[in-house]
Tab-separated table of all heavy atoms in Angstrom:
chain	number	residue	atom	x	y	z
A	26	ASN	N	-13.700	-61.783	-129.631
A	26	ASN	CA	-14.956	-61.108	-129.060
A	26	ASN	C	-14.652	-59.690	-128.669
A	26	ASN	O	-15.072	-59.182	-127.698
A	26	ASN	CB	-15.446	-61.951	-127.854
A	26	ASN	CG	-15.884	-63.325	-128.201
A	26	ASN	OD1	-16.721	-63.538	-129.153
A	26	ASN	ND2	-15.333	-64.303	-127.487
A	27	ILE	N	-13.771	-59.008	-129.465
A	27	ILE	CA	-13.408	-57.658	-129.031
A	27	ILE	C	-14.662	-56.675	-128.972
A	27	ILE	O	-14.774	-55.897	-128.020
A	27	ILE	CB	-12.255	-57.213	-129.936
A	27	ILE	CG1	-11.115	-58.026	-129.643
A	27	ILE	CG2	-12.000	-55.602	-129.723
A	27	ILE	CD1	-9.847	-57.710	-130.617
A	28	PRO	N	-15.461	-56.700	-129.981
A	28	PRO	CA	-16.670	-55.709	-129.915
A	28	PRO	C	-17.543	-56.034	-128.625
A	28	PRO	O	-18.013	-55.116	-127.925
A	28	PRO	CB	-17.433	-55.994	-131.245
A	28	PRO	CG	-16.367	-56.511	-132.102
A	28	PRO	CD	-15.503	-57.356	-131.333
A	29	GLN	N	-17.904	-57.393	-128.413
A	29	GLN	CA	-18.620	-57.739	-127.267
A	29	GLN	C	-17.953	-57.266	-125.979
A	29	GLN	O	-18.595	-56.871	-125.007
A	29	GLN	CB	-18.952	-59.222	-127.279
A	29	GLN	CG	-19.612	-59.674	-128.553
A	29	GLN	CD	-18.761	-60.163	-129.676
A	29	GLN	OE1	-17.657	-59.586	-129.804
A	29	GLN	NE2	-19.116	-61.159	-130.361
A	30	GLY	N	-16.595	-57.506	-125.913
A	30	GLY	CA	-15.947	-57.161	-124.656
A	30	GLY	C	-15.981	-55.691	-124.365
A	30	GLY	O	-16.104	-55.214	-123.311
A	31	THR	N	-15.861	-54.899	-125.465
A	31	THR	CA	-15.891	-53.443	-125.267
A	31	THR	C	-17.291	-52.967	-124.890
A	31	THR	O	-17.468	-52.201	-123.977
A	31	THR	CB	-15.522	-52.783	-126.596
A	31	THR	OG1	-14.148	-53.135	-127.069
A	31	THR	CG2	-15.629	-51.285	-126.488
A	32	ALA	N	-18.288	-53.534	-125.520
A	32	ALA	CA	-19.716	-53.095	-125.212
A	32	ALA	C	-20.121	-53.457	-123.863
A	32	ALA	O	-20.717	-52.648	-123.169
A	32	ALA	CB	-20.622	-53.721	-126.267
A	33	THR	N	-19.793	-54.697	-123.419
A	33	THR	CA	-20.186	-55.104	-122.071
A	33	THR	C	-19.418	-54.339	-121.014
A	33	THR	O	-20.026	-53.958	-119.950
A	33	THR	CB	-19.921	-56.677	-121.862
A	33	THR	OG1	-18.631	-56.975	-122.270
A	33	THR	CG2	-20.915	-57.456	-122.725
A	34	LEU	N	-18.147	-54.073	-121.192
A	34	LEU	CA	-17.445	-53.380	-120.234
A	34	LEU	C	-17.938	-51.865	-120.149
A	34	LEU	O	-18.002	-51.352	-119.043
A	34	LEU	CB	-15.916	-53.304	-120.663
A	34	LEU	CG	-14.966	-52.912	-119.480
A	34	LEU	CD1	-15.071	-53.724	-118.218
A	34	LEU	CD2	-13.536	-53.011	-120.039
A	35	LYS	N	-18.203	-51.275	-121.267
A	35	LYS	CA	-18.797	-49.975	-121.195
A	35	LYS	C	-20.174	-49.859	-120.562
A	35	LYS	O	-20.610	-48.866	-120.094
A	35	LYS	CB	-18.841	-49.390	-122.598
A	35	LYS	CG	-17.488	-48.987	-123.273
A	35	LYS	CD	-17.612	-48.410	-124.598
A	35	LYS	CE	-16.262	-47.952	-125.171
A	35	LYS	NZ	-15.823	-46.661	-124.513
A	36	ASN	N	-20.768	-51.037	-120.540
A	36	ASN	CA	-22.102	-51.108	-119.955
A	36	ASN	C	-22.051	-51.495	-118.526
A	36	ASN	O	-23.063	-51.831	-117.871
A	36	ASN	CB	-22.947	-52.221	-120.702
A	36	ASN	CG	-24.365	-52.067	-120.432
A	36	ASN	OD1	-24.981	-50.978	-120.354
A	36	ASN	ND2	-25.086	-53.223	-120.281
A	37	GLY	N	-20.808	-51.562	-117.934
A	37	GLY	CA	-20.626	-51.835	-116.524
A	37	GLY	C	-20.567	-53.276	-116.225
A	37	GLY	O	-20.555	-53.729	-115.015
A	38	GLU	N	-20.377	-54.226	-117.235
A	38	GLU	CA	-20.260	-55.689	-116.966
A	38	GLU	C	-18.768	-56.070	-117.097
A	38	GLU	O	-18.047	-55.468	-117.852
A	38	GLU	CB	-21.128	-56.399	-118.003
A	38	GLU	CG	-22.573	-56.112	-118.014
A	38	GLU	CD	-23.268	-56.865	-119.094
A	38	GLU	OE1	-23.244	-58.188	-119.050
A	38	GLU	OE2	-23.833	-56.275	-120.043
A	39	TRP	N	-18.528	-57.104	-116.296
A	39	TRP	CA	-17.187	-57.760	-116.452
A	39	TRP	C	-17.417	-59.165	-116.903
A	39	TRP	O	-17.590	-60.112	-116.196
A	39	TRP	CB	-16.504	-57.804	-115.040
A	39	TRP	CG	-15.108	-58.286	-115.116
A	39	TRP	CD1	-14.572	-59.516	-114.715
A	39	TRP	CD2	-13.952	-57.545	-115.492
A	39	TRP	NE1	-13.224	-59.606	-114.903
A	39	TRP	CE2	-12.858	-58.343	-115.436
A	39	TRP	CE3	-13.696	-56.218	-115.993
A	39	TRP	CZ2	-11.440	-57.979	-115.639
A	39	TRP	CZ3	-12.474	-55.870	-116.258
A	39	TRP	CH2	-11.375	-56.671	-116.109
A	40	ALA	N	-17.536	-59.296	-118.274
A	40	ALA	CA	-18.033	-60.494	-118.870
A	40	ALA	C	-16.968	-61.454	-119.254
A	40	ALA	O	-17.102	-62.259	-120.290
A	40	ALA	CB	-18.884	-60.118	-120.085
A	41	LYS	N	-15.752	-61.437	-118.658
A	41	LYS	CA	-14.631	-62.197	-118.980
A	41	LYS	C	-14.969	-63.680	-119.134
A	41	LYS	O	-14.485	-64.435	-120.122
A	41	LYS	CB	-13.531	-62.046	-117.956
A	41	LYS	CG	-12.267	-62.832	-118.209
A	41	LYS	CD	-11.224	-62.528	-117.184
A	41	LYS	CE	-10.040	-63.409	-117.421
A	41	LYS	NZ	-8.936	-63.085	-116.379
A	42	SER	N	-15.745	-64.226	-118.296
A	42	SER	CA	-15.979	-65.703	-118.206
A	42	SER	C	-16.875	-66.241	-119.389
A	42	SER	O	-16.773	-67.337	-119.790
A	42	SER	CB	-16.699	-66.141	-116.959
A	42	SER	OG	-17.951	-65.421	-116.859
A	43	ARG	N	-17.662	-65.304	-119.975
A	43	ARG	CA	-18.454	-65.723	-121.131
A	43	ARG	C	-17.985	-65.287	-122.475
A	43	ARG	O	-18.677	-65.439	-123.513
A	43	ARG	CB	-19.997	-65.385	-120.877
A	43	ARG	CG	-20.260	-63.910	-120.765
A	43	ARG	CD	-21.719	-63.736	-120.476
A	43	ARG	NE	-22.048	-62.393	-120.193
A	43	ARG	CZ	-22.400	-61.405	-121.153
A	43	ARG	NH1	-22.448	-61.750	-122.361
A	43	ARG	NH2	-22.727	-60.187	-120.722
A	44	LEU	N	-16.768	-64.683	-122.469
A	44	LEU	CA	-16.342	-64.236	-123.784
A	44	LEU	C	-15.009	-64.968	-124.162
A	44	LEU	O	-13.967	-64.362	-124.376
A	44	LEU	CB	-16.105	-62.706	-123.824
A	44	LEU	CG	-17.292	-61.863	-123.643
A	44	LEU	CD1	-16.980	-60.391	-123.599
A	44	LEU	CD2	-18.207	-62.080	-124.876
A	45	LEU	N	-15.028	-66.295	-124.111
A	45	LEU	CA	-13.989	-67.175	-124.407
A	45	LEU	C	-13.717	-67.151	-125.868
A	45	LEU	O	-14.587	-67.349	-126.751
A	45	LEU	CB	-14.336	-68.579	-123.996
A	45	LEU	CG	-13.181	-69.612	-124.133
A	45	LEU	CD1	-12.097	-69.343	-123.170
A	45	LEU	CD2	-13.745	-71.057	-123.901
A	46	GLY	N	-12.489	-66.760	-126.237
A	46	GLY	CA	-12.110	-66.566	-127.645
A	46	GLY	C	-11.383	-67.830	-128.190
A	46	GLY	O	-11.320	-68.854	-127.618
A	47	ARG	N	-10.881	-67.657	-129.371
A	47	ARG	CA	-10.153	-68.667	-130.092
A	47	ARG	C	-8.753	-68.098	-130.578
A	47	ARG	O	-8.750	-66.990	-131.075
A	47	ARG	CB	-10.874	-69.182	-131.284
A	47	ARG	CG	-12.357	-69.598	-131.022
A	47	ARG	CD	-12.466	-70.961	-130.438
A	47	ARG	NE	-13.961	-71.272	-130.282
A	47	ARG	CZ	-14.586	-71.956	-131.208
A	47	ARG	NH1	-13.973	-72.237	-132.337
A	47	ARG	NH2	-15.847	-72.268	-131.080
A	48	GLU	N	-7.759	-68.921	-130.578
A	48	GLU	CA	-6.471	-68.516	-131.149
A	48	GLU	C	-6.484	-68.638	-132.683
A	48	GLU	O	-7.281	-69.585	-133.187
A	48	GLU	CB	-5.308	-69.431	-130.678
A	48	GLU	CG	-4.892	-69.159	-129.298
A	48	GLU	CD	-3.677	-69.926	-128.834
A	48	GLU	OE1	-3.192	-70.613	-129.759
A	48	GLU	OE2	-3.275	-69.754	-127.681
A	49	ILE	N	-5.867	-67.870	-133.450
A	49	ILE	CA	-5.836	-68.088	-134.865
A	49	ILE	C	-4.476	-68.772	-135.276
A	49	ILE	O	-4.472	-69.368	-136.290
A	49	ILE	CB	-5.929	-66.735	-135.636
A	49	ILE	CG1	-4.842	-65.785	-135.299
A	49	ILE	CG2	-7.232	-66.124	-135.380
A	49	ILE	CD1	-4.702	-64.635	-136.199
A	50	CYS	N	-3.524	-68.800	-134.446
A	50	CYS	CA	-2.208	-69.575	-134.651
A	50	CYS	C	-2.604	-71.045	-134.973
A	50	CYS	O	-3.229	-71.586	-134.098
A	50	CYS	CB	-1.323	-69.387	-133.566
A	50	CYS	SG	0.251	-70.255	-133.804
A	51	GLY	N	-2.190	-71.551	-136.099
A	51	GLY	CA	-2.414	-72.928	-136.313
A	51	GLY	C	-3.698	-73.225	-137.056
A	51	GLY	O	-3.948	-74.366	-137.523
A	52	LYS	N	-4.539	-72.282	-137.099
A	52	LYS	CA	-5.814	-72.478	-137.828
A	52	LYS	C	-5.615	-72.372	-139.340
A	52	LYS	O	-4.715	-71.769	-139.829
A	52	LYS	CB	-6.891	-71.358	-137.340
A	52	LYS	CG	-7.196	-71.426	-135.912
A	52	LYS	CD	-7.993	-72.680	-135.536
A	52	LYS	CE	-8.575	-72.598	-134.138
A	52	LYS	NZ	-7.500	-72.398	-133.044
A	53	THR	N	-6.561	-73.001	-139.979
A	53	THR	CA	-6.511	-72.910	-141.546
A	53	THR	C	-7.419	-71.759	-141.966
A	53	THR	O	-8.604	-71.803	-141.792
A	53	THR	CB	-6.990	-74.301	-142.103
A	53	THR	OG1	-6.110	-75.286	-141.720
A	53	THR	CG2	-6.996	-74.176	-143.643
A	54	LEU	N	-6.843	-70.897	-142.714
A	54	LEU	CA	-7.513	-69.819	-143.343
A	54	LEU	C	-7.753	-70.125	-144.760
A	54	LEU	O	-6.829	-70.317	-145.514
A	54	LEU	CB	-6.747	-68.492	-143.192
A	54	LEU	CG	-7.435	-67.295	-143.879
A	54	LEU	CD1	-8.733	-66.874	-143.103
A	54	LEU	CD2	-6.450	-66.046	-143.954
A	55	GLY	N	-9.039	-70.136	-145.151
A	55	GLY	CA	-9.378	-70.379	-146.590
A	55	GLY	C	-9.613	-68.986	-147.235
A	55	GLY	O	-10.530	-68.232	-146.834
A	56	VAL	N	-8.859	-68.713	-148.320
A	56	VAL	CA	-9.005	-67.410	-148.963
A	56	VAL	C	-9.730	-67.618	-150.247
A	56	VAL	O	-9.177	-68.362	-151.205
A	56	VAL	CB	-7.583	-66.733	-149.219
A	56	VAL	CG1	-7.767	-65.433	-149.837
A	56	VAL	CG2	-6.874	-66.646	-147.875
A	57	LEU	N	-10.874	-67.096	-150.463
A	57	LEU	CA	-11.652	-67.193	-151.640
A	57	LEU	C	-11.258	-65.971	-152.498
A	57	LEU	O	-11.760	-64.856	-152.176
A	57	LEU	CB	-13.172	-67.258	-151.386
A	57	LEU	CG	-14.044	-67.203	-152.596
A	57	LEU	CD1	-13.739	-68.295	-153.597
A	57	LEU	CD2	-15.459	-67.278	-152.135
A	58	GLY	N	-10.518	-66.049	-153.513
A	58	GLY	CA	-10.112	-64.922	-154.383
A	58	GLY	C	-8.642	-64.580	-154.074
A	58	GLY	O	-8.449	-63.956	-152.952
A	59	LEU	N	-7.809	-64.786	-154.917
A	59	LEU	CA	-6.413	-64.485	-154.792
A	59	LEU	C	-5.930	-63.404	-155.640
A	59	LEU	O	-4.853	-63.535	-156.280
A	59	LEU	CB	-5.523	-65.722	-154.941
A	59	LEU	CG	-5.260	-66.599	-153.735
A	59	LEU	CD1	-4.508	-65.985	-152.594
A	59	LEU	CD2	-6.561	-67.294	-153.216
A	60	GLY	N	-6.694	-62.293	-155.681
A	60	GLY	CA	-6.249	-61.078	-156.445
A	60	GLY	C	-5.414	-60.263	-155.513
A	60	GLY	O	-4.855	-60.711	-154.551
A	61	ARG	N	-5.449	-58.965	-155.735
A	61	ARG	CA	-4.642	-57.999	-154.912
A	61	ARG	C	-4.885	-58.079	-153.522
A	61	ARG	O	-3.993	-58.254	-152.667
A	61	ARG	CB	-4.822	-56.539	-155.485
A	61	ARG	CG	-4.286	-56.324	-156.834
A	61	ARG	CD	-4.490	-54.839	-157.193
A	61	ARG	NE	-3.912	-54.467	-158.529
A	61	ARG	CZ	-4.661	-54.583	-159.608
A	61	ARG	NH1	-5.929	-54.956	-159.559
A	61	ARG	NH2	-4.134	-54.170	-160.742
A	62	VAL	N	-6.109	-58.001	-153.153
A	62	VAL	CA	-6.526	-58.094	-151.705
A	62	VAL	C	-6.300	-59.439	-151.012
A	62	VAL	O	-5.692	-59.527	-149.925
A	62	VAL	CB	-7.920	-57.590	-151.501
A	62	VAL	CG1	-8.390	-57.686	-150.055
A	62	VAL	CG2	-8.164	-56.143	-152.065
A	63	GLY	N	-6.761	-60.414	-151.804
A	63	GLY	CA	-6.610	-61.807	-151.203
A	63	GLY	C	-5.239	-62.142	-150.925
A	63	GLY	O	-4.842	-62.871	-149.970
A	64	ARG	N	-4.295	-61.754	-151.825
A	64	ARG	CA	-2.888	-62.130	-151.660
A	64	ARG	C	-2.332	-61.356	-150.395
A	64	ARG	O	-1.458	-61.989	-149.742
A	64	ARG	CB	-2.104	-61.815	-152.948
A	64	ARG	CG	-2.311	-62.682	-154.053
A	64	ARG	CD	-1.448	-62.475	-155.248
A	64	ARG	NE	-1.717	-63.400	-156.299
A	64	ARG	CZ	-1.296	-64.662	-156.431
A	64	ARG	NH1	-0.478	-65.122	-155.528
A	64	ARG	NH2	-1.571	-65.417	-157.484
A	65	ILE	N	-2.668	-60.152	-150.173
A	65	ILE	CA	-2.203	-59.472	-148.990
A	65	ILE	C	-2.700	-60.111	-147.773
A	65	ILE	O	-1.966	-60.280	-146.826
A	65	ILE	CB	-2.508	-58.013	-149.070
A	65	ILE	CG1	-1.782	-57.275	-150.237
A	65	ILE	CG2	-2.129	-57.247	-147.739
A	65	ILE	CD1	-2.222	-55.893	-150.505
A	66	VAL	N	-4.035	-60.451	-147.764
A	66	VAL	CA	-4.527	-61.165	-146.600
A	66	VAL	C	-3.770	-62.445	-146.391
A	66	VAL	O	-3.476	-62.774	-145.197
A	66	VAL	CB	-6.101	-61.453	-146.900
A	66	VAL	CG1	-6.637	-62.358	-145.761
A	66	VAL	CG2	-6.868	-60.187	-146.808
A	67	ALA	N	-3.566	-63.221	-147.398
A	67	ALA	CA	-2.816	-64.456	-147.194
A	67	ALA	C	-1.422	-64.200	-146.635
A	67	ALA	O	-1.051	-64.897	-145.694
A	67	ALA	CB	-2.704	-65.195	-148.637
A	68	ASP	N	-0.735	-63.233	-147.109
A	68	ASP	CA	0.578	-62.857	-146.612
A	68	ASP	C	0.579	-62.588	-145.142
A	68	ASP	O	1.446	-63.072	-144.327
A	68	ASP	CB	1.166	-61.773	-147.437
A	68	ASP	CG	2.502	-61.266	-146.853
A	68	ASP	OD1	3.506	-61.989	-147.212
A	68	ASP	OD2	2.558	-60.237	-146.295
A	69	ARG	N	-0.411	-61.715	-144.715
A	69	ARG	CA	-0.463	-61.294	-143.333
A	69	ARG	C	-0.893	-62.511	-142.445
A	69	ARG	O	-0.356	-62.670	-141.398
A	69	ARG	CB	-1.522	-60.206	-143.137
A	69	ARG	CG	-1.274	-58.999	-143.974
A	69	ARG	CD	0.043	-58.314	-143.759
A	69	ARG	NE	0.115	-56.981	-144.355
A	69	ARG	CZ	0.626	-56.782	-145.540
A	69	ARG	NH1	1.178	-57.802	-146.299
A	69	ARG	NH2	0.713	-55.561	-146.076
């Protein structure tokens, strides 16, 4: 929620409690298309 966090903070809000995020570690990333770009995304 980085864009929302930036926007609310610049708007004078401290929206920490409602901007609960998710970890990506351990999540399954599905890559549709394993050409040049897709392979780099997969590697990262």
Side-chain angles (χ1 to χ4, degrees):
N26 298 307
I27 291 172
Q29 300 92 324
T31 301
T33 51
L34 193 57
K35 286 180 177 289
N36 197 40
E38 301 177 62
W39 188 258
K41 178 178 179 179
S42 61
R43 60 185 174 86
L44 293 178
L45 184 68
R47 309 280 186 89
E48 287 186 2
I49 62 170
C50 180
K52 298 293 190 298
T53 297
L54 178 68
V56 182
L57 173 56
L59 273 298
R61 292 181 177 90
V62 176
R64 287 187 181 277
I65 295 175
V66 169
D68 175 74
R69 304 300 189 266

